[in-house]
Amino acid sequence: MDSFSRRDILKTFGLTASGLSFLNADAFAENPENDPIELPLDDRFITLDRPVTAIVLGAGNRGNVYGRFALAFPNELDMVGVAEPVPFRNDRFAQAHNIEEKNRFKTWEDVFKVPKFADAIIISTPDDLHYGPAMKALEMGYHVLLEKPISPSYQECLDILAMAKKTKRIIAVCHVLRYTPYFRKLKEIAQSGQFGKLISVNHLEGIEYQHMAHSYVRGNWHVAKDTNPIILAKSCHDLDILRWIIGKPCKSIAAHGSLSWFKKENAPEGSTERCTDGCKVEAECPFSAINIYHKQRLRIRVLDVTDDPAKQGDEILEKLKTSPYGRCVYRMNNDQPDHYTTSMEFEGGVTVNFAMEAFTSFEARKTRLMFSHGEVWGDMDEIQTYDFRTKQNTKWRASELPEYKSQASGHAGGDYGLARNFVQAVAQNKPELLTSTIDASIESHVMGFMAEKSRLSKQMVEVKI
């Protein structure tokens, strides 16, 4: 059996934490003239005299999300440097942004061996490589846009917070859901009081079965101790958004979940070590690597193959013969739960049930808020409300807003929303323009650490910040 550690994978393919995003990853560059993108105006924003300059550490999918923002809005953000150990990715990013050779680096450490030459650092390295560059960037006077999770270590999270306070630099955590029109509207409704007291919340995150196989069975996050437990790696967005909408701290948490399906004992008869080894059930397997990557051409950015359709197919098949992405999902050394349920109590008695589920046909969040005088529910696009007193039902759709007019902004408009807020915060030196500050983000990380402690100990755990 093939055995790949996380370091093996990184060494072989240079995979970054950003390299596994499922959100519109294959369109590397946008042409603003041919595909106009609108973002909502904010009266706190100003017209910039010059773009904010940034260096990207990790030129995978997440790094390229902000790269696409820079290409779409060159008057707001200019990518002037890149650190990426994989030549293919380094070349691609540098060419797209016309980065000078002297500002191209192999590792994040190399960036800090030269004097400061940009306003900000964008950290989209693997989860366990967030701490070092974040601390060094702050020390050298850079503002920081930091991919979530902040760090796999609670103490490292606190260290980064302390360094940000000491240096008085702006640091934003990429909890992009806070910047989506859908979740902003949900928070507005929850905090308005129009339906009385918030009593409880049910929230579901559907990972989607192929995405689960890609990222958390075959991919970088398949072993919790090497990266983060899935509650943080995948669902710190959800913990953060629940805390944000409720507006009160979590007091206790109880979690349950396990790896139930992606195990060797569930391998179908006739299956093989790799999907390309003549597996007798490959054609009917919903997790077939040949189907996902070669036939559907989904998430192939991680394979670093050519964009030429005539050559792409053969390159994909070759990568499936050698990389973890071609291995049978039942024969990996994975340990991440494929279903995870947490029950939480927040200050004031608000209760929350949150379920993260691998086996869904959809890749989205669904939320239901129960109030004393009404009910609110939504699916990341449509929000419906029902007032118990008037019997009135209302509907609201996020997809009718400007943020949805272009597919370039992933996370339902949140990616570009965060990017613009960060640019404005840096340009104006006003951290209050951000909602996803590190101060706010650490609380949801603690919730994730405590959820995993509860799951493993099978006990309810108090959440103390």
Side-chain angles (χ1 to χ4, degrees):
M1 178 184 297
D2 295 331
S3 177
F4 277 77
S5 69
R6 187 167 191 275
R7 290 292 178 185
D8 291 332
I9 297 170
L10 288 171
K11 183 178 179 182
T12 304
F13 291 102
L15 301 180
T16 65
S18 54
L20 292 172
S21 174
F22 59 88
L23 290 163
N24 196 33
D26 293 333
F28 172 72
E30 302 295 329
N31 184 337
E33 294 182 356
N34 294 334
D35 182 21
I37 301 169
E38 298 179 63
L39 289 179
L41 298 177
D42 188 313
D43 57 14
R44 302 173 301 166
F45 293 173
I46 63 172
T47 300
L48 304 185
D49 294 331
R50 67 169 183 86
V52 168
T53 55
I55 307 162
V56 168
L57 310 185
N61 281 347
R62 292 308 296 169
N64 282 312
V65 163
Y66 306 111
R68 289 196 295 273
F69 177 88
L71 293 173
F73 301 99
N75 294 329
E76 299 185 40
L77 182 62
D78 182 16
M79 299 301 189
V80 297
V82 60
E84 170 57 58
V86 179
F88 179 90
R89 297 181 179 189
N90 196 307
D91 290 344
R92 183 180 62 191
F93 196 90
Q95 290 168 11
H97 297 277
N98 296 314
I99 295 174
E100 296 180 65
E101 187 63 33
K102 68 176 183 177
N103 292 339
R104 294 175 58 180
F105 306 91
K106 184 176 181 180
T107 70
W108 68 263
E109 291 94 341
D110 296 334
V111 172
F112 303 112
K113 294 175 182 176
V114 301
K116 180 176 179 287
F117 65 94
D119 300 311
I121 295 283
I122 297 175
I123 300 176
S124 49
T125 50
D127 296 356
D128 61 341
L129 295 179
H130 285 182
Y131 178 74
M135 294 293 281
K136 192 64 178 177
L138 292 168
E139 179 187 323
M140 290 187 65
Y142 288 102
H143 300 291
V144 175
L145 183 62
L146 177 61
E147 265 302 330
K148 59 82 187 170
I150 299 168
S151 166
S153 160
Y154 176 43
Q155 186 57 53
E156 288 183 355
C157 291
L158 295 180
D159 289 348
I160 295 172
L161 173 61
M163 181 62 80
K165 299 292 187 185
K166 178 182 176 180
T167 59
K168 295 181 171 56
R169 296 291 88 186
I170 293 169
I171 180 166
V173 180
C174 297
H175 280 140
V176 293
L177 295 185
R178 288 178 176 232
Y179 299 88
T180 64
Y182 169 81
F183 280 113
R184 292 202 310 268
K185 186 65 174 179
L186 212 57
K187 178 178 172 62
E188 176 190 319
I189 294 171
Q191 297 297 314
S192 70
Q194 67 186 95
F195 297 110
K197 176 181 171 62
L198 178 61
I199 305 297
S200 62
V201 179
N202 285 336
H203 181 71
L204 168 66
E205 179 188 15
I207 297 178
E208 194 266 341
Y209 64 103
Q210 290 185 342
H211 182 208
M212 179 70 192
H214 171 75
S215 294
Y216 305 100
V217 180
R218 294 180 171 118
N220 274 5
W221 293 275
H222 71 287
V223 177
K225 67 179 178 60
D226 292 340
T227 53
N228 268 300
I230 197 168
I231 189 68
L232 274 171
K234 185 70 178 79
S235 298
C236 70
H237 276 316
D238 301 273
L239 298 176
D240 177 74
I241 212 71
L242 288 166
R243 168 65 178 88
W244 186 58
I245 288 173
I246 293 169
K248 295 178 180 179
C250 179
K251 307 302 291 183
S252 63
I253 193 164
H256 303 275
S258 62
L259 175 61
S260 294
W261 185 244
F262 298 107
K263 300 188 291 188
K264 191 170 184 178
E265 55 263 38
N266 293 325
E269 185 176 350
S271 60
T272 53
E273 291 295 325
R274 289 183 175 274
C275 298
T276 53
D277 288 348
C279 174
K280 291 183 172 57
V281 294
E282 179 274 321
E284 61 195 61
C285 178
F287 313 106
S288 162
I290 294 174
N291 180 45
I292 294 172
Y293 304 108
H294 186 255
K295 294 182 180 178
Q296 297 186 69
R297 303 292 166 93
L298 297 177
R299 303 178 177 92
I300 59 173
R301 279 282 168 183
V302 300
L303 301 177
D304 287 335
V305 294
T306 179
D307 292 327
D308 183 352
K311 300 177 181 178
Q312 200 175 66
D314 290 341
E315 289 189 19
I316 291 171
L317 287 176
E318 191 59 35
K319 291 292 178 73
L320 296 185
K321 294 176 182 177
T322 56
S323 81
Y325 294 98
R327 290 180 60 183
C328 175
V329 292
Y330 301 102
R331 291 174 166 83
M332 293 293 298
N333 60 328
N334 55 302
D335 64 3
Q336 296 280 23
D338 48 31
H339 58 121
Y340 202 119
T341 301
T342 62
S343 294
M344 295 167 269
E345 184 175 21
F346 284 72
E347 189 177 276
V350 177
T351 55
V352 174
N353 281 317
F354 165 51
M356 181 212 73
E357 301 289 349
F359 301 104
T360 61
S361 59
F362 60 89
E363 191 172 2
R365 276 96 176 171
K366 298 178 185 291
T367 311
R368 186 174 292 265
L369 309 175
M370 279 69 74
F371 297 85
S372 59
H373 291 73
E375 187 178 13
V376 179
W377 62 99
D379 60 2
M380 288 195 74
D381 179 15
E382 184 175 272
I383 295 175
Q384 293 193 51
T385 71
Y386 182 80
D387 192 311
F388 298 159
R389 296 157 296 191
T390 65
K391 314 298 184 189
Q392 182 179 8
N393 177 263
T394 67
K395 294 183 180 181
W396 176 95
R397 296 187 72 91
S399 56
E400 296 174 355
L401 301 179
E403 293 95 320
Y404 266 72
K405 300 303 181 184
S406 171
Q407 295 181 355
S409 180
H411 281 106
D415 287 342
Y416 279 14
L418 167 64
R420 172 157 284 174
N421 276 55
F422 178 71
V423 164
Q424 287 285 332
V426 169
Q428 299 186 50
N429 197 30
K430 290 183 177 180
E432 63 269 22
L433 294 178
L434 296 162
T435 67
S436 60
T437 61
I438 190 168
D439 309 62
S441 296
I442 279 181
E443 190 166 347
S444 59
H445 280 60
V446 173
M447 291 163 62
F449 291 134
M450 294 303 102
E452 186 67 356
K453 180 178 179 180
S454 171
R455 184 183 75 87
L456 295 174
S457 68
K458 301 187 182 302
Q459 295 180 348
M460 185 183 75
V461 175
E462 290 186 9
V463 178
K464 296 180 180 179
I465 309 300

